[in-house]
């Protein structure tokens, strides 16, 4: 099937960001998207899915691993360069990397009046 980032983003919007799946509107919602390639879907499809997701959460953090990732597409998924991160390979993905990236990106995100956070991770 290949890489289908837009479909993964739509899955998050349609299936994971629902009350039945545990999503609560009164807490800050952060979505991590990790990919090791460029989506085989059209750029427009990915952009539409990303825009829809970004409109429903507080922050989308996009993490691209390997040089097969399209940096422009990664920035589109994240809604801007501040939330998009590139790693050369999976060896760079240590235990503290996600925490460091998440903390850094959340500092760039809009502040919320609540202290709870719901995190959803999607891997394509």
């Amino acid at each position: 099937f290949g890489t289908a980032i837009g479909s993964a983003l739509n899955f998050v919007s349609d299936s994971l960001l629902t009350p039945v799946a545990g999503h609560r509107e009164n807490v800050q919602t952060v979505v991590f998207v990790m990919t090791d390639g460029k989506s085989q879907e059209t750029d427009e499809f990915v952009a539409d899915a990303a825009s829809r997701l970004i409109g429903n959460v507080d922050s989308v953090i996009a993490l691209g691993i390997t040089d097969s990732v399209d940096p422009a597409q990664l920035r589109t998924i994240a809604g801007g360069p501040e939330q998009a991160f590139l790693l050369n390979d999976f060896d760079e993905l240590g235990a503290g990397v996600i925490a460091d990236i998440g903390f850094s990106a959340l500092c760039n995100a809009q502040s919320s009046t609540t202290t709870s956070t719901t995190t959803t991770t999607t891997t394509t």
Side-chain angles (χ1 to χ4, degrees), residues 47-118:
D48 288 346
S51 179
R52 182 171 164 230
L53 179 62
I54 290 165
N56 290 317
V57 299
D58 296 291
S59 183
V60 176
I61 300 167
L63 180 60
I65 305 168
T66 77
D67 60 357
S68 297
V69 173
D70 178 354
Q73 190 174 72
L74 202 66
R75 289 188 298 273
T76 297
I77 294 164
E82 299 84 14
Q83 305 290 93
F85 300 89
L86 287 167
L87 298 178
N88 293 319
D89 55 43
F90 286 95
D91 291 336
E92 290 184 17
L93 189 62
V97 170
I98 293 202
D100 291 344
I101 287 172
F103 182 75
S104 172
L106 288 175
C107 289
N108 291 328
Q110 293 179 341
S111 59
S112 175
T113 58
T114 60
T115 58
S116 300
T117 301
T118 300

Side-chain angles (χ1 to χ4, degrees), residues 5-18 23 29 31 33 41 43-60 76-79:
I5 298 170
S7 294
L9 299 178
N10 282 332
F11 176 81
V12 171
S13 293
D14 295 338
S15 300
L16 299 179
L17 296 178
T18 65
H23 181 256
T29 303
V31 176
V33 178
E41 301 155 323
D43 289 340
E44 182 180 356
F45 183 80
V46 174
D48 288 346
S51 179
R52 182 171 164 230
L53 179 62
I54 290 165
N56 290 317
V57 299
D58 296 291
S59 183
V60 176
T76 297
I77 294 164

